[in-house]
Amino acid sequence: MAFKPWRAVPGWLLLWALNLFSAVALIYEGYNQGVMGFVNGTPGYIQTVGIGADGKVTNTTKQGGLVSVYYFGAMFGCFIGGRFGDKFGRKRAVIVGSLFTLIIPAWVSELAQAHNRGSAFALVFCANYVGIVIAYWLGYGLRNHGSDFRWRFPLAFQVIPTIILLLTVWFLPESPRWLITQGRRDEAVEILAKIRGDLTVDNPALAAELEQLDAIVHSSHHKRFQFLNVTFGRYSGRLHLGRRVLLAIGIMMMMEWTGILAITVYANTLFQQAGFSPNKAAWLSGLCNTFGIVGTAASIFTVDRFGRRISLYFGFFIQGAALFLSAGLSRLGQLHPDNAGAYGAAAAAMVFVYTFVFAQTVLMIAFIYPTEIWPQEIRAFGNSYGVFGWAVGCGATTLVIPSMFATLGWTTLMVFGSFNFCSLPLVYLFFPETNGRSLEEINLLFAAHSPIVSANEKEFRRMLDEAGGNVAVAERRLVEDLDALAGEKDIAAAEAYYAGSKLER
């Protein structure tokens, strides 16, 4: 008999356990990002890796390169992990190793319902900032330690959450959505009934959700879902998978070029340039990233209420303004040394505002969006493109930020502020609203031939109207049209498969 201890706990407790597990994974990810912000400036590390001497960094390019290697490695691992997660399941992908941070967002998205998917993400992603904060305060606590333990221990500490995950993943159920795609319907029904609140298998709401999942399984092995075909959008027709690749990569790269890594990885440098002493800059760095936890928690109440697009508009605008103000105030502190303390405090306050708003808006949406826009058949694999964008964005910015601070100084923040404002028209034109729409409705949202949002929304409404508001019927017609064009349609089988499907929108 299979080992399934989750059967013995109430459904609500199991869902919380799944979210807690996800949180531990994201604590690990956050810690990885934050730890180098402290380690980068320790004399022992600087001497050991050869980026300077006597505690001073002289080779900023190598300094950035050492940090960016972590992210560039993820560029290759993300697609392997995504394909593995789709073929062998979310649990096995976790067990394989450090690729679990790729699988976690897709797992959370699949377990949440459409009306609270963003809130579920927000709750779990508080853990990301918890990891960053742990890294900074651990570094601050070791700041006066004279030996190499000061930088070696924070790096070794990374293994703790990894061990926790590998010991606990065995006790959790597999994703029911993934089980459906593998033909293991009975297991999927049992798990879905449990996490939806110990429902009976004949519950109407559960039956409707299962029918909606069934409506897409028949096409899961289509050649349109092969790696190269997805990447270049071949054979996807009106599903426009290539367009979704660009959106998944784009939203992540946009997030990283807003300047967040200048704060999470190089916060010490940033605050010292604002006029603070190394000791004060260190605890300000920890406090600032702690503030990110508050912003992430606040997003629980806003990310689903206001939607993805409005949250991005608000976030990019406020972040851009905060960075410009912080840059200007830092410059005023340099021009007026007598009031440097006041200007430095004001500049630091703008960084705190930026961190709060980023955590509340852009951070949440950037990680949610790439999990929402893909067909169920390749959800984890599709999310790999988002991870790829994240890796490219992080790797590129961490590589150049040290040189930017050394060369541009306070104007570095203006560069990143400009990227925030440039992101606004991109969101308006190309990123459709996914909030409140089931993951199975998303295919209809990309059916227009134009990539412009307004055209896709218009086509979405037209297709639903023609189907009488029935999502399954509309999606069936869309897929049948694709199969007809590919010469792979079996009308009789398709009609038999979908007979009796009476889904509500």
Side-chain angles (χ1 to χ4, degrees):
M1 183 176 178
F3 180 64
K4 298 181 179 180
W6 52 266
R7 287 174 168 170
V9 301
W12 65 267
L13 183 59
L14 177 60
L15 189 57
W16 271 97
L18 286 163
N19 284 330
L20 181 61
F21 176 85
S22 303
V24 174
L26 290 170
I27 286 174
Y28 172 81
E29 173 54 36
Y31 186 89
N32 287 346
Q33 288 184 287
V35 69
M36 292 307 296
F38 164 74
V39 169
N40 252 327
T42 57
Y45 175 82
I46 292 172
Q47 184 71 33
T48 300
V49 301
I51 58 176
D54 300 324
K56 301 293 184 182
V57 176
T58 56
N59 190 339
T60 55
T61 301
K62 185 176 180 180
Q63 181 190 28
L66 288 170
V67 178
S68 65
V69 165
Y70 165 75
Y71 299 107
F72 288 138
M75 291 169 55
F76 300 97
C78 62
F79 294 110
I80 299 172
R83 183 59 76 183
F84 191 94
D86 275 331
K87 185 172 183 179
F88 298 104
R90 311 322 186 215
K91 290 178 65 174
R92 290 192 179 99
V94 172
I95 296 167
V96 165
S98 60
L99 293 172
F100 55 70
T101 52
L102 160 66
I103 298 301
I104 291 302
W107 201 351
V108 175
S109 179
E110 291 171 350
L111 294 172
Q113 293 174 293
H115 70 276
N116 67 354
R117 194 161 57 236
S119 297
F121 260 92
L123 189 62
V124 170
F125 264 80
C126 285
N128 184 262
Y129 258 105
V130 170
I132 295 173
V133 167
I134 291 174
Y136 266 96
W137 287 118
L138 180 62
Y140 182 75
L142 294 171
R143 69 191 185 283
N144 293 323
H145 205 286
S147 69
D148 281 352
F149 183 84
R150 178 179 173 184
W151 65 272
R152 293 186 185 275
F153 178 76
L155 293 178
F157 189 80
Q158 293 171 304
V159 75
I160 301 300
T162 308
I163 293 173
I164 294 173
L165 289 169
L166 293 176
L167 292 177
T168 57
V169 67
W170 307 96
F171 297 92
L172 301 176
E174 183 54 85
S175 162
R177 295 175 187 261
W178 178 79
L179 290 171
I180 288 285
T181 66
Q182 302 301 302
R184 295 159 62 181
R185 184 181 174 81
D186 291 342
E187 293 179 66
V189 171
E190 181 184 8
I191 295 170
L192 198 59
K194 171 68 74 172
I195 63 177
R196 291 293 182 255
D198 293 303
L199 301 177
T200 59
V201 293
D202 58 351
N203 183 279
L206 181 64
E209 187 170 357
L210 286 167
E211 283 184 307
Q212 207 167 28
L213 290 173
D214 286 337
I216 61 172
V217 171
H218 79 294
S219 63
S220 61
H221 301 294
H222 196 285
K223 63 182 179 181
R224 72 173 68 98
F225 297 128
Q226 295 173 4
F227 172 67
L228 288 178
N229 293 337
V230 171
T231 301
F232 297 104
R234 296 189 300 183
Y235 307 112
S236 65
R238 295 177 65 199
L239 289 177
H240 291 117
L241 298 181
R243 184 189 304 168
R244 303 189 209 193
V245 168
L246 294 177
L247 293 180
I249 294 175
I251 189 68
M252 283 292 200
M253 293 189 68
M254 287 160 60
M255 175 184 70
E256 299 306 339
W257 278 98
T258 61
I260 185 58
L261 288 175
I263 295 171
T264 57
V265 180
Y266 297 104
N268 273 327
T269 302
L270 178 63
F271 285 118
Q272 287 184 49
Q273 287 201 350
F276 294 100
S277 66
N279 182 62
K280 184 172 286 188
W283 69 257
L284 276 175
S285 300
L287 186 61
C288 180
N289 285 293
T290 303
F291 212 58
I293 298 177
V294 181
T296 309
S299 69
I300 296 172
F301 306 102
T302 61
V303 69
D304 284 324
R305 181 177 181 181
F306 297 108
R308 314 305 185 232
R309 284 163 60 85
I310 291 178
S311 295
L312 289 174
Y313 293 151
F314 178 81
F316 284 129
F317 181 80
I318 298 299
Q319 289 168 198
L323 290 178
F324 268 92
L325 287 171
S326 182
L329 290 164
S330 295
R331 179 58 175 166
L332 287 173
Q334 296 174 6
L335 296 175
H336 304 283
D338 293 341
N339 294 317
Y343 286 124
M350 290 300 101
V351 175
F352 275 71
V353 170
Y354 170 93
T355 302
F356 177 87
V357 173
F358 172 84
Q360 186 184 21
T361 58
V362 175
L363 173 66
M364 288 296 99
I365 308 303
F367 275 95
I368 294 171
Y369 206 84
T371 70
E372 293 183 317
I373 62 176
W374 294 102
Q376 166 59 25
E377 298 92 335
I378 55 167
R379 180 142 300 125
F381 174 64
N383 188 49
S384 303
Y385 292 97
V387 178
F388 178 81
W390 169 83
V392 173
C394 289
T397 51
T398 53
L399 177 63
V400 302
I401 284 173
S403 297
M404 290 176 70
F405 276 129
T407 304
L408 302 177
W410 61 275
T411 58
T412 299
L413 296 185
M414 287 190 169
V415 173
F416 287 121
S418 299
F419 280 117
N420 280 274
F421 291 128
C422 290
S423 298
L424 290 170
L426 296 178
V427 173
Y428 176 79
L429 291 172
F430 302 115
F431 289 83
E433 181 60 70
T434 57
N435 183 45
R437 286 165 168 156
S438 70
L439 296 174
E440 284 65 45
E441 286 179 284
I442 297 300
N443 279 342
L444 307 179
L445 197 57
F446 292 92
H449 294 296
S450 170
I452 304 301
V453 168
S454 57
N456 282 279
E457 290 286 355
K458 182 179 179 180
E459 182 66 9
F460 177 86
R461 292 190 295 270
R462 185 192 67 79
M463 296 180 69
L464 279 182
D465 289 343
E466 289 184 354
N470 190 314
V471 175
V473 171
E475 187 176 34
R476 177 192 67 190
R477 291 174 178 173
L478 176 64
V479 175
E480 285 179 346
D481 288 344
L482 291 175
D483 290 343
L485 290 173
E488 300 174 6
K489 181 180 178 184
D490 182 343
I491 298 177
E495 289 298 330
Y497 183 88
Y498 286 107
S501 180
K502 298 178 181 179
L503 300 181
E504 297 180 358
R505 180 179 174 182

